[in-house]
Amino acid sequence: MRLNEVNFDVNPPIDSYGPGFFRIDGSLWEGPLILSSKGPQAWAGWQDLAPLIALSEQTDVLFLGMGAEIAPLATEVRETLERSGLAVEIMGTGPACRTYNVMLSEGRRIAAGLIPV
């Protein structure tokens, strides 16, 4: 079996998540979170789309973790994000975290908006 070391460059992966929190690079983040090439940042949630829209020029895909279960995104929110040029993928927060880590390890231009479980 051949093992390859994964290099995450500058952006750290999601170490873990749980009720109300995320652990990124050993640091605990509580509440909604945005992960991008700028690193993790606290987020106010769906009422604050500006930080997500600001990612449009450096991001090919935006993963949205909707919480414990996948939930529909309000039509106006989706349309606003897509008008900004973002490709949006909606999923539960757990799958969003795992997919983010895989795509990050592949060097993709991605970001995530995550609502805690």
Side-chain angles (χ1 to χ4, degrees), residues 13-100:
I14 301 165
D15 296 329
S16 63
Y17 62 91
F21 76 90
F22 299 92
R23 188 171 307 280
I24 312 292
D25 200 26
S27 296
L28 185 67
W29 292 78
E30 295 184 354
L33 182 68
I34 293 175
L35 296 170
S36 71
S37 61
K38 298 176 183 177
Q41 67 182 61
W43 177 39
W46 302 121
Q47 65 272 16
D48 186 18
L49 297 180
L52 296 175
I53 292 169
L55 301 172
S56 64
E57 291 190 22
Q58 72 234 16
T59 302
D60 294 328
V61 180
L62 172 66
F63 298 105
L64 296 177
M66 304 298 287
E69 301 291 327
I70 190 170
L73 188 61
T75 303
E76 63 190 43
V77 172
R78 178 185 275 283
E79 289 174 353
T80 300
L81 294 173
E82 289 177 347
R83 270 195 308 274
S84 74
L86 288 165
V88 178
E89 291 291 332
I90 300 167
M91 52 189 74
T93 295
C97 290
R98 292 186 293 275
T99 304
Y100 176 86

